[in-house]
Amino acid sequence: AQSVTQLDSHVSVSEGTPVLLRCNYSSSYSPSLFWYVQHPNKGLQLLLKYTSAATLVKGINGFEAEFKKSETSFHLTKPSAHMSDAAEYFCVVSDWGSQGNLIFGKGTKLSVKP
Amino acid sequence: EAQVTQNPRYLITVTGKKLTVTCSQNMNHEYMSWYRQDPGLGLRQIYYSMNVEVTDKGDVPEGYKVSRKEKRNFPLILESPSPNQTSLYFCASRLTGQGIGTNEKLFFGSGTQLSVL
């Protein structure tokens, strides 16, 4: 069965410093992995997705994620945080064993201090 | 415009009064799903549907019903709402047809804020 664990419920960084949001997954098959972002009082927006074409995936707004099969991880990073990055981030996994059903992590709330 | 439409955006009701939250997509997507979002618990899946007349329970199906009579619609039914169903609900859809991978993007509705008094 597939599952996804976001290791931090809340991350706080200062503006201009790097961001690291951690995600570990469990999947019986070659997974598809996504990061979604939800800004306050808004819907969910796709940040990036892993499609097995490349292990380092670039997304919108300067975010990246690296797929590491040996560590079953798909951590989200950004070199320099901006105030507008403050939001909740969700790691999501999908695989053929679940017929493409998607499983969400519990979310990581990112705070950015000036 | 490709979209997932949920109605209503806000709903206040009383315990036990049946209600339906509608969800419609115009992208011919096979897969549709309902989630509820509660502080500290992230998005939890209620029900999902892989295609017409095919529905499955998610993590928190108790107290909810769904139907998928047509490809575009996936209503969420609360037969007898209770206060613990007060939550923000999202409907979503994506492509999962034959030959399509599991990496298709999920499209979300704008959400329905439900309060059960």
Side-chain angles (χ1 to χ4, degrees), chain A residues 12-77:
Chain A
S12 182
V13 301
S14 296
E15 192 173 21
T17 64
V19 175
L20 170 64
L21 305 183
R22 298 181 295 165
C23 172
N24 286 109
Y25 70 91
S26 170
S27 173
S28 303
Y29 301 85
S30 181
S32 294
L33 294 154
F34 308 78
W35 277 98
Y36 281 82
V37 60
Q38 185 181 32
H39 286 94
N41 302 312
K42 301 277 187 188
L44 287 101
Q45 179 185 18
L46 180 67
L47 258 186
L48 52 80
K49 64 180 181 180
Y50 167 69
T51 62
S52 76
T55 56
L56 184 62
V57 183
K58 294 188 186 302
I60 60 172
N61 301 333
F63 282 93
E64 289 183 347
E66 187 170 7
F67 173 71
K68 290 187 176 179
K69 189 174 181 179
S70 60
E71 298 175 12
T72 60
S73 69
F74 190 57
H75 301 334
L76 182 70
T77 60

Side-chain angles (χ1 to χ4, degrees), chain A residues 30-34 36 38 41-46 49-52 88 90 92 94-107, chain B residues 9 31 33 35 37 40-45 48 50 56-59 88 90 94 96-97 99-110:
Chain A
S30 181
S32 294
L33 294 154
F34 308 78
Y36 281 82
Q38 185 181 32
N41 302 312
K42 301 277 187 188
L44 287 101
Q45 179 185 18
L46 180 67
K49 64 180 181 180
Y50 167 69
T51 62
S52 76
E88 188 151 24
F90 295 94
V92 184
S94 173
D95 69 25
W96 282 115
S98 62
Q99 299 178 294
N101 192 29
L102 294 108
I103 301 299
F104 279 73
K106 289 194 185 322
Chain B
R9 284 295 307 276
Y31 174 95
S33 181
Y35 302 89
Q37 185 176 23
L41 297 176
L43 270 81
R44 293 181 292 169
Q45 190 177 45
Y48 66 99
M50 301 304 292
D56 278 294
K57 294 178 181 179
D59 297 319
L88 177 60
F90 286 100
R94 69 189 281 213
T96 54
I100 298 291
T102 59
N103 57 12
E104 289 297 314
K105 170 184 168 180
L106 199 60
F107 288 78
F108 282 90
S110 300

